[in-house]
Amino acid sequence: MPSNETGGTTGLEDLFLDGLKDIYYAEKKILTALPKMAKAAEADEVSAAFEKHLSETEGQVDRLEQVFELMGQTASAKACPAIDGILEEGAEILEKYSGTPAIDAGLVAAAQSVEHYEIARYGTLVAWAMQMGMADVATLLQATLEEEETTDTALSSLGEGGVNERAMQEAA
Ligand code: FE
Ligand code: FE
Ligand code: FE
């Protein structure tokens, strides 16, 4: 582990560990939100996208636990007000639009907000791991970053591939 001249940890390592705990909290919250989103989705392909990402997210939590272990730390979560807020907005969409033609467009948008937060966090964590010379940690986080980016692209394709158009229908 990188140390400074007085034998303590570097500022970057502290920042990294705080970020790791933040995203660990976020992933666990996302694990509870995705099944609700899959259930509320009208189109099978939207529901399937959430189910697929749910199983990926389980693997992402495992990767984070491996990273904590490589850092010599016990896995722990630190409240992330950003993901709480993003998921709260998603819950508002769910409440207001469930059963309407607009639900899938709303859910896809809510999910993309989550992915964008994750992409920001993982992008930073990969860069910091590299800076600290922890290639094995960076590789694990990079694998997750790529899943988040692929998910974001798939959600855009769903939106543009009919979901947004269906949302223009009037509610029954
Ligand atoms: Fe994730
Ligand atoms: Fe956060
Ligand atoms: Fe994700």
Side-chain angles (χ1 to χ4, degrees):
M1 249 189 272
S3 305
N4 62 23
E5 281 161 23
T6 58
T9 57
T10 64
L12 190 60
E13 185 179 341
D14 286 343
L15 280 172
F16 180 88
L17 286 172
D18 284 343
L20 202 60
K21 291 172 188 175
D22 176 274
I23 198 69
Y24 189 57
Y25 174 97
E27 293 289 14
K28 292 199 154 197
K29 279 294 178 100
I30 294 163
L31 275 181
T32 69
L34 280 168
K36 295 176 202 163
M37 294 168 75
K39 201 174 160 212
E42 291 280 336
D44 289 346
E45 76 249 32
V46 174
S47 192
F50 294 147
E51 296 282 2
K52 179 182 182 219
H53 200 47
L54 174 61
S55 73
E56 284 172 340
T57 301
E58 286 164 357
Q60 295 173 354
V61 168
D62 287 346
R63 279 193 203 109
L64 288 174
E65 288 169 355
Q66 290 177 56
V67 170
F68 278 111
E69 202 174 329
L70 285 167
M71 302 290 298
Q73 302 277 328
T74 311
S76 67
K78 175 176 170 287
C80 170
I83 204 70
D84 284 338
I86 289 168
L87 292 176
E88 201 179 304
E89 288 191 3
E92 283 172 18
I93 299 267
L94 213 139
E95 192 164 329
K96 182 166 177 189
Y97 295 98
S98 279
T100 78
I103 185 62
D104 287 351
L107 288 173
V108 165
Q112 285 191 282
S113 302
V114 172
E115 296 316 310
H116 291 189
Y117 180 72
E118 294 182 294
I119 289 165
R121 279 283 166 265
Y122 281 109
T124 296
L125 290 172
V126 168
W128 287 349
M130 295 294 282
Q131 179 65 43
M132 293 188 290
M134 298 185 298
D136 42 0
V137 166
T139 301
L140 283 165
L141 297 170
Q142 179 67 33
T144 295
L145 175 59
E146 285 168 20
E147 284 174 354
E148 312 296 21
E149 287 171 341
T150 302
T151 301
D152 181 45
T153 304
L155 290 167
S156 286
S157 300
L158 282 172
E160 290 156 19
V163 162
N164 293 343
E165 196 185 329
R166 281 200 295 281
M168 291 182 71
Q169 293 167 16
E170 283 178 44

